[in-house]
Every structure is written in structure tokens, then in C-alpha cells.
Amino acid sequence: MRSLTRSRMYENSFPEKRYQKTLEFLKELVPPPAKVLDLGVKNPFSEIMQEHGYEVTNTSGEDLDNDFSAVKNDTYDLVTAFEIFEHLLAPYNILREIKADKILASVPLKLWFSPAYRSKTDKWDRHYHEFEDWQFDWLFEKSGWEIKETLKWTNPVNKIGIRPILRKFTPRYYAVYAERT
């Protein structure tokens, strides 16, 4: 009973289920301390990684479709890209340019019952790609990475309706850990 309570407390200490799943996956594959380049501006998850012993540097908001300068530094143990690649027109290009030997990336999966995400107020907050797992794997393999581990999980919502019911058992997020071949 005590471990169940501790597990519930741990789970509830994260604002989102995906943060908990991602951190567990990260710690299993690349335990802290590690020097991490996190693609994307500073965000709640980069702060969570720092709280758990990772030394995290974020990119500064540059257009990662055109500016690869941040990933050309080989002093990082790991590059992370959490919910970034679906926003890029050509994620293949930046994957080819990464100098670190390890990467952990996640994306929301394409859902047959939900259209691609597009913000009506922010011209940059939209999904150019919504991947199926095999497409994301292929992207890594084609760009010179060998996939070592993957993880899928659901993201149920507390709403009523057909789509919320489908979200209870349809995986929404997909994470890939890969190493340079």
C-alpha cells in the first residue's frame, strides 16, 4: 500500500502524464548527470530535467529548419527533442546535422479520429507533420541513427464523448531513443 501511495504522489507531482513517462524513459536510458541540448526554448520539461540532475541547455528560438548551429556542438552527451519535430518542415535536415551521439525525441502520434493540430492565433504553433510510429522510425534510420528503444503511451482526457473514450486506449505519444550509426 505504501508504494502505491508513493507512486500516486510521484505521478501527481507532474503537470502532465507525458512528463512523467518521458522522465522515466530518459533516466532509464541516459541517467543523470548528463549534459543535454534540448531543442526548443526553455520549457517546463527542461526545468524538470534540471531538477533531476541533468545539465540542460536549450536552443534560443531559432528556426531549426534553417539554422543548425546549435546542434553542431559535440560537447553534449545527448540531444533531446520533445514535441519539436512535428513543427518542422524538414526534420530530416537537423537530424543529419546533430553532432551528439545520442538523441531522445518524442512526438504526438497521428490519430485517425482527430485532425492535425493548428493554432488559430499563433502562426508557428502548428503541426506540419503528425507521424505514425513507423514514419518516425524511418526518419531516424534515413538520417543516420540506429533506434535502440521506443515507448508509446496514451493520454486520456477527463471529458465525455467518443474521442475522449478513444484516447483512453489509443497511444498519443511516441518516444525514440537512438544512437548515431
Side-chain angles (χ1 to χ4, degrees):
M1 183 69 164
R2 185 172 277 190
S3 64
L4 178 62
T5 304
R6 208 175 294 140
S7 174
R8 280 189 185 148
M9 285 172 45
Y10 178 69
E11 186 171 321
N12 292 333
S13 68
F14 290 93
E16 297 187 32
K17 177 182 178 181
R18 68 187 165 119
Y19 292 167
Q20 177 190 357
K21 291 287 188 188
T22 304
L23 182 64
E24 289 171 353
F25 195 54
L26 172 63
K27 288 173 94 172
E28 175 187 325
L29 297 166
V30 183
K35 191 172 179 183
V36 176
L37 173 63
D38 186 32
L39 301 185
V41 297
K42 190 169 183 167
N43 58 75
F45 193 72
S46 56
E47 293 173 6
I48 289 170
M49 287 191 290
Q50 288 175 327
E51 291 168 5
H52 285 85
Y54 294 92
E55 180 184 333
V56 180
T57 302
N58 286 88
T59 54
S60 56
E62 63 271 33
D63 181 349
L64 296 174
D65 270 318
N66 295 312
D67 184 350
F68 309 128
S69 58
V71 300
K72 293 199 178 246
N73 183 337
D74 67 355
T75 63
Y76 294 102
D77 300 312
L78 172 74
V79 169
T80 57
F82 303 119
E83 287 83 57
I84 294 293
F85 291 138
E86 69 274 13
H87 298 277
L88 300 179
L89 295 176
Y92 172 87
N93 295 329
I94 197 162
L95 280 167
R96 291 286 302 165
E97 297 295 327
I98 292 172
K99 297 300 179 220
D101 292 329
K102 300 175 185 176
I103 186 169
L104 179 62
S106 63
V107 290
L109 289 169
K110 179 178 180 182
L111 299 176
W112 60 270
F113 55 85
S114 183
Y117 173 75
R118 180 179 173 189
S119 171
K120 294 182 187 325
T121 58
D122 183 342
K123 70 177 186 173
W124 300 107
D125 189 17
R126 47 187 70 167
H127 292 180
Y128 186 77
H129 302 280
E130 288 202 340
F131 296 94
E132 293 184 32
D133 56 357
W134 69 269
Q135 293 169 310
F136 202 51
D137 291 352
W138 194 27
L139 174 64
F140 277 86
E141 291 164 4
K142 293 268 303 175
S143 57
W145 295 90
E146 181 180 347
I147 295 172
K148 299 293 188 176
E149 294 285 337
T150 64
L151 177 69
K152 282 190 218 178
W153 66 93
T154 61
N155 190 44
V157 294
N158 291 325
K159 295 181 181 177
I160 297 172
I162 299 296
R163 290 197 309 193
I165 289 170
L166 292 171
R167 285 182 186 267
K168 290 185 186 282
F169 59 87
T170 304
R172 177 61 175 146
Y173 291 101
Y174 183 57
V176 167
Y177 170 72
E179 295 179 358
R180 183 63 72 188
T181 55

